[in-house]
Amino acid sequence: MTRKMTDAQLDYERKRAAKANKSLDEWLKAKAKAERNAAPAKPETAKKPGLLSRLIERGHKPIAAKK
């Protein structure tokens, strides 16, 4: 791992590694691999405009003459 960790963070990761029956290096490598393989976030889809937005937009349009 390239990021520097504080002593408290290292102690926490050591405890988690011991709980998983792995060495600290194995644990950090597995954790980094899991972060890399995590599914990328889905891009937000454009939301349909709400009722008020639609009404305001409709109010700005000219009135169409009926035939």
Side-chain angles (χ1 to χ4, degrees):
M1 202 166 187
T2 59
R3 195 182 88 193
K4 298 285 183 183
M5 295 180 12
T6 64
D7 291 337
Q9 288 173 327
L10 280 172
D11 288 340
Y12 175 76
E13 293 298 338
R14 278 190 195 103
K15 288 178 186 175
R16 290 189 66 190
K19 200 173 198 182
N21 294 326
K22 294 184 179 182
S23 71
L24 180 62
D25 290 333
E26 290 173 351
W27 174 256
L28 292 176
K29 286 178 186 177
K31 186 176 175 183
K33 184 178 179 182
E35 287 175 0
R36 281 193 310 266
N37 293 339
K42 241 178 31 175
E44 288 189 29
T45 57
K47 289 177 62 177
K48 181 179 176 182
L51 176 65
L52 289 176
S53 297
R54 290 186 309 222
L55 289 174
I56 291 171
E57 184 178 331
R58 194 176 205 182
H60 288 291
K61 291 182 181 177
I63 299 175
K66 294 186 179 182
K67 292 184 181 181

